[in-house]
Amino acid sequence: AQKVTQAQTEISVVEKEDVTLDCVYETRDTTYYLFWYKQPPSGELVFLIRRNSFDEQNEISGRYSWNFQKSTSSFNFTITASQVVDSAVYFCALSIQGAQKLVFGQGTRLTINP
Amino acid sequence: DTEVTQTPKHLVMGMTNKKSLKCEQHMGHRAMYWYKQKAKKPPELMFVYSYEKLSINESVPSRFSPECPNSSLLNLHLHALQPEDSALYLCASSPSRGSISDTQYFGPGTRLTVL
C-alpha cells in the first residue's frame, strides 16, 4: 500500500526562524515521484517541487530546500529565514507507476508569526 | 503560464437545486481532475479525464456528474446534494494522460455550501 505521513500537524515559529517540514512515504514501487504543494488560506494548491525516485540530489530554490533520502523514505522540506507569507498548509504527495492519482499526506499547517 | 481557472469562487445552494462548477485551462494539458477537500483534510480525488474521456471515477455518488466538453473545459454538475457535500472543490490539470511523472496544477477552487 502507498502512504504518506506528515507527522507534524501544526508548526508555529517566529519570523526569520528556519523550519523543517517532515514527510515520510511508503511504497513497494521502485519508480515513483514525490511532490510538495503549498495551500495558502485562499485555497489554491501551489506546486513547489517534483522529485523522482532515482534522483536523490537535494534541491535548493531560494529560501526553500528539499532533502530526499531513500534510505529513510523521507522527503523533508526546509524553509530558511521564514517569512509571514510562508504561512500555509503544506502537503507532501506521492505518485506511483500505473496510477493517475496522488497520495497526499494529511498536511502540516505552518504559521509564521511576526 | 500554469493557470487553471474555476468559477464560481463561492456557491451556496439548496438540496433541491441544480448547479454546475466550471474549470478551464489553456495550457494544452490532456488530463483534468476534480478533487473534493473538507476542512483540515487533504484533497480527495473524485474524477480523472484523460484525452476528454473519463478514466477514473472514485466511486463518487451520482449526484455529482462530471462532463468534459473539450480538452480545455471540465464541468461538475451538481444535483440533490446533501449538507455533507459542503467543501472546497478543486480542479487540476496535467500535461499528458495523467502519467506517473505528471505534475498536477490546481485552480483556486470553488467553496460550496449546501443548505
Side-chain angles (χ1 to χ4, degrees):
Chain A
Q2 292 75 39
K3 187 178 177 183
V4 175
T5 301
Q6 294 180 255
Q8 304 150 308
T9 306
E10 294 192 27
I11 300 175
S12 180
V13 301
V14 177
E15 201 171 20
K16 297 184 184 174
E17 285 186 24
D18 299 348
V19 58
T20 296
L21 282 61
D22 297 333
C23 173
V24 174
Y25 62 93
E26 295 175 33
T27 179
R28 292 178 184 268
D29 287 41
T30 55
T31 303
Y32 52 88
Y33 281 74
L34 293 161
F35 301 79
W36 276 95
Y37 284 89
K38 172 183 179 180
Q39 188 173 39
S42 58
E44 178 177 356
L45 267 78
V46 178
F47 165 69
L48 296 178
I49 190 171
R50 180 185 76 188
R51 175 67 59 195
N52 77 55
S53 52
F54 299 107
D55 181 4
E56 284 194 75
Q57 241 183 342
N58 292 332
E59 181 147 343
I60 298 175
S61 176
R63 297 184 296 106
Y64 295 174
S65 62
W66 290 269
N67 181 271
F68 176 31
Q69 291 196 347
K70 286 177 76 170
S71 60
T72 55
S73 297
S74 64
F75 186 41
N76 296 338
F77 172 31
T78 297
I79 301 175
T80 302
S82 59
Q83 300 176 1
V84 173
V85 294
D86 296 325
S87 297
V89 179
Y90 290 86
F91 289 99
C92 181
L94 169 70
S95 171
I96 58 169
Q97 190 72 42
Q100 284 182 295
K101 49 180 155 180
L102 294 173
V103 177
F104 283 93
Q106 290 299 302
T108 297
R109 180 176 298 277
L110 176 64
T111 302
I112 310 296
N113 299 297
Chain B
D1 183 13
T2 54
E3 187 177 68
V4 176
T5 60
Q6 289 185 243
T7 54
K9 291 188 73 172
H10 300 273
L11 178 62
V12 179
M13 60 186 291
M15 289 190 284
T16 58
N17 292 159
K18 283 185 181 181
K19 297 286 184 183
S20 296
L21 309 185
K22 181 180 171 183
C23 173
E24 196 164 3
Q25 58 88 12
H26 293 288
M27 298 176 279
H29 288 179
R30 302 316 301 266
M32 296 186 77
Y33 310 74
W34 278 116
Y35 287 84
K36 173 182 178 179
Q37 186 179 24
K38 301 285 274 184
K40 299 192 175 184
K41 294 290 186 183
E44 296 175 30
L45 184 66
M46 300 174 73
F47 304 103
V48 181
Y49 273 83
S50 290
Y51 289 82
E52 299 152 53
K53 286 187 168 34
L54 184 65
S55 58
I56 292 181
N57 176 340
E58 291 286 280
S59 303
V60 179
S62 59
R63 57 186 184 269
F64 295 92
S65 175
E67 178 197 19
C68 190
N70 59 56
S71 60
S72 301
L73 274 176
L74 185 65
N75 298 321
L76 186 63
H77 302 297
L78 314 172
H79 173 56
L81 293 193
Q82 305 296 310
E84 59 264 29
D85 296 321
S86 299
L88 178 68
Y89 288 83
L90 292 160
C91 174
S93 70
S94 64
S96 61
R97 51 171 76 232
S99 68
I100 181 178
S101 61
D102 257 5
T103 295
Q104 294 183 30
Y105 296 94
F106 287 80
T110 294
R111 291 196 183 273
L112 173 68
T113 302
V114 181
L115 300 176

